[in-house]
Amino acid sequence: MLEFAVLGLLAESPLHGYELRKRLNALLGTFRAFSYGSLYPTLRRMQAAGWVTADSAGRGGRSKVVYSLTADGKERFAELLGEAGPSAWEDEAFGVHFAFFSKTSPEARMRILEGRRIRLEEKRERFRGTMGRARERVDRYTIEMHRHGLESVEREVRWLTELIETERTISNENAQGAPPEPRSPDSEPAVESAPTGASTKPKAKTD
Amino acid sequence: MLEFAVLGLLAESPLHGYELRKRLNALLGTFRAFSYGSLYPTLRRMQAAGWVTADSAGRGGRSKVVYSLTADGKERFAELLGEAGPSAWEDEAFGVHFAFFSKTSPEARMRILEGRRIRLEEKRERFRGTMGRARERVDRYTIEMHRHGLESVEREVRWLTELIETERTISNENAQGAPPEPRSPDSEPAVESAPTGASTKPKAKTD
DNA sequence: GCCTACATGTAAATAGTTACATGATTGA
DNA sequence: TCAATCATGTAACTATTTACATGTAGGC
């Protein structure tokens, strides 16, 4: 997660740790925050893996260590852009993926959005089932929690549906001869990446 | 987290692991799910700590192990009901606390709800700041993510405000001579617990 | 006779956090 | 000169997942 986000930020420009963390928490702050205790070891690991290089751009002996992405790092980032990641990180992973959508191919964007919607719809249905069955024996706080939770999931599904609609509209416009407008000041072209392999398994009921 | 939730469920009735996990994921499913790989080791630890006892209520030699809460376990649960827990678990911890609100004293309920609202309001303000400052240099996906994130936090704050209002109304009604109606079929009385110690620290800006 | 759900568990890996320690730079 | 912020790092710990392993009970 952190690794992915770091790759994404360094893909824009080289940064040192402190600044990296600020941008990280500004970018992903709605759903996640990272501490230095995880950032610096992660940067070390990434350096060892050959995804980043560290330049001690220090005035004097000590001070700032600026990290830059290597070619391997760019490749790794492109790889992660198309992957789903372990299911335990569902929410977080979707958030990070979405944050880097302008670097993602339209095809991968669509796949990620629709995959996310399907998983949320499954969750919603599981939840409706539970709420229907439980009816009695629960106190008003439990009921309120379930009501609010269901409403949140429904809201999230509606949001995704809107996003998917917008994506479709854009694709159609671009497909119908209109020249693709330079929508954002990205210098890097969007990257097409390997298929996810997600949700092709039969996946016997989790319960 | 898991430990807390297990204590809460066993406070209602003794259960075996498999059933415990089902109830866990039915109760907390909106925001969390647990696997056996964490449940069984946790039950072992809790047994070692003396909070639960394991009865091998097996027809035959093997089979079901039923766990019950000990007096120490009840005490531990009462203790956790009033605590805030490590800040890394903010969201999850609030969810579990809320799930057991009918076992929580009105005073602790109020403290938890208001504490949660304050932290969400802080988050909202941090976020408004970031969004204001960033304005340019961000693509439309980042903007959309921030917009949706801010809206979610605002919605959550409104929800908490409503809950707090309801709590106040109930307290006032009960305080004005009306006999406290038996609102839910709980046999255990609500537990008053130690003060949290939360948000009394000056807490120098995280950034 | 086989499939599904019930039921219990372990080992290794994961992805972080908290608390601590240290020092440089900048502005009032 | 003092405080705040910038800046980098480590050690110990935490709570969990994933993948695996095993076996039972009930229905069709």
Side-chain angles (χ1 to χ4, degrees):
Chain A
M1 226 57 283
L2 178 51
E3 178 190 299
F4 185 16
V6 167
L7 287 171
L9 283 180
L10 292 184
E12 281 162 18
S13 66
L15 293 167
H16 63 271
Y18 191 86
E19 178 65 19
L20 199 44
R21 189 209 181 230
K22 278 211 305 188
R23 299 222 186 166
L24 225 37
N25 293 345
L27 182 65
L28 309 174
T30 6
F31 59 91
R32 198 71 165 80
F34 295 99
S35 64
Y36 295 120
S38 52
L39 178 58
Y40 287 114
T42 296
L43 284 168
R44 286 288 172 90
R45 266 190 292 109
M46 292 171 71
Q47 200 185 341
W51 298 331
V52 300
T53 52
D55 279 317
S56 282
R59 57 278 202 184
R62 205 194 188 284
S63 194
K64 291 197 198 182
V65 182
V66 177
Y67 295 90
S68 314
L69 222 57
T70 64
D72 277 8
K74 281 175 196 173
E75 215 177 294
R76 176 66 177 152
F77 180 53
E79 208 179 295
L80 287 173
L81 274 180
E83 275 176 17
S87 70
W89 302 109
E90 233 306 87
D91 294 10
E92 252 91 327
F94 172 75
V96 179
H97 270 100
F98 192 79
F100 296 122
F101 253 22
S102 67
K103 298 186 172 48
T104 309
S105 76
E107 291 74 24
R109 285 204 292 256
M110 211 37 139
R111 183 159 38 74
I112 289 164
L113 287 174
E114 288 181 332
R116 170 74 171 164
R117 184 169 58 173
I118 284 171
R119 282 186 297 278
L120 280 180
E121 280 168 346
E122 283 166 1
K123 183 176 176 176
R124 184 189 63 190
E125 293 316 313
R126 271 201 308 279
F127 220 63
R128 282 180 177 160
T130 315
M131 287 174 73
R133 280 197 306 281
R135 267 297 157 245
E136 341 70 28
R137 78 165 174 69
V138 287
D139 58 280
R140 69 184 200 85
Y141 293 106
T142 307
I143 290 170
E144 177 56 24
M145 190 175 71
H146 283 184
R147 193 200 58 71
H148 181 250
L150 180 56
E151 207 179 284
S152 298
V153 178
E154 286 170 341
R155 182 171 162 273
E156 208 73 9
V157 169
R158 279 197 303 275
W159 181 62
L160 284 165
T161 300
E162 279 166 34
L163 289 172
I164 289 166
E165 260 319 294
T166 306
E167 286 290 319
R168 266 199 246 282
T169 309
I170 289 172
S171 312
N172 285 344
E173 274 171 7
N174 290 349
Q176 279 167 13
E181 35 166 347
R183 200 172 294 275
S184 67
D186 286 329
S187 46
E188 300 293 309
V191 184
E192 180 50 279
S193 28
T196 247
S199 51
T200 44
K201 292 182 290 188
K203 190 191 181 184
K205 249 184 86 195
T206 320
D207 211 1
Chain B
M1 226 56 287
L2 178 51
E3 177 190 300
F4 184 17
V6 166
L7 287 171
L9 283 179
L10 293 184
E12 281 161 18
S13 66
L15 294 167
H16 62 272
Y18 191 87
E19 178 65 19
L20 199 44
R21 189 213 180 227
K22 279 211 304 189
R23 299 223 186 166
L24 225 37
N25 292 345
L27 182 65
L28 309 176
T30 7
F31 59 93
R32 199 72 166 79
F34 296 98
S35 64
Y36 295 120
S38 52
L39 178 58
Y40 287 114
T42 296
L43 284 168
R44 286 289 172 89
R45 268 190 291 110
M46 292 172 70
Q47 200 184 343
W51 298 330
V52 300
T53 51
D55 279 318
S56 282
R59 56 281 201 187
R62 204 194 189 285
S63 195
K64 291 196 200 182
V65 182
V66 177
Y67 295 90
S68 314
L69 223 55
T70 63
D72 277 7
K74 282 175 197 174
E75 215 176 295
R76 176 66 178 151
F77 180 53
E79 208 177 295
L80 286 173
L81 274 180
E83 275 175 17
S87 71
W89 302 110
E90 232 307 87
D91 294 10
E92 252 92 326
F94 172 75
V96 179
H97 271 100
F98 193 79
F100 295 123
F101 253 23
S102 68
K103 297 187 172 48
T104 309
S105 76
E107 291 75 23
R109 284 204 293 257
M110 212 35 138
R111 182 160 38 74
I112 289 165
L113 287 173
E114 289 182 331
R116 170 74 172 164
R117 184 170 56 173
I118 283 171
R119 282 186 297 279
L120 281 180
E121 280 168 345
E122 283 166 1
K123 184 176 176 176
R124 184 189 62 190
E125 293 315 314
R126 269 199 310 279
F127 219 63
R128 282 180 177 161
T130 315
M131 287 174 72
R133 280 196 306 279
R135 265 299 156 244
E136 341 70 29
R137 78 164 173 69
V138 287
D139 57 280
R140 69 184 201 85
Y141 293 108
T142 307
I143 290 170
E144 177 56 25
M145 190 175 73
H146 283 184
R147 194 201 58 72
H148 182 250
L150 180 56
E151 206 178 286
S152 299
V153 178
E154 285 170 341
R155 181 172 162 271
E156 208 73 10
V157 169
R158 280 197 301 277
W159 182 62
L160 284 166
T161 300
E162 278 165 35
L163 289 172
I164 289 167
E165 261 319 293
T166 306
E167 285 291 317
R168 266 199 246 283
T169 309
I170 290 172
S171 310
N172 285 343
E173 273 171 7
N174 289 350
Q176 280 167 13
E181 35 167 345
R183 201 171 294 272
S184 68
D186 286 328
S187 45
E188 301 293 309
V191 183
E192 179 51 279
S193 29
T196 246
S199 50
T200 45
K201 291 182 290 187
K203 191 191 183 185
K205 251 182 86 197
T206 320
D207 213 358

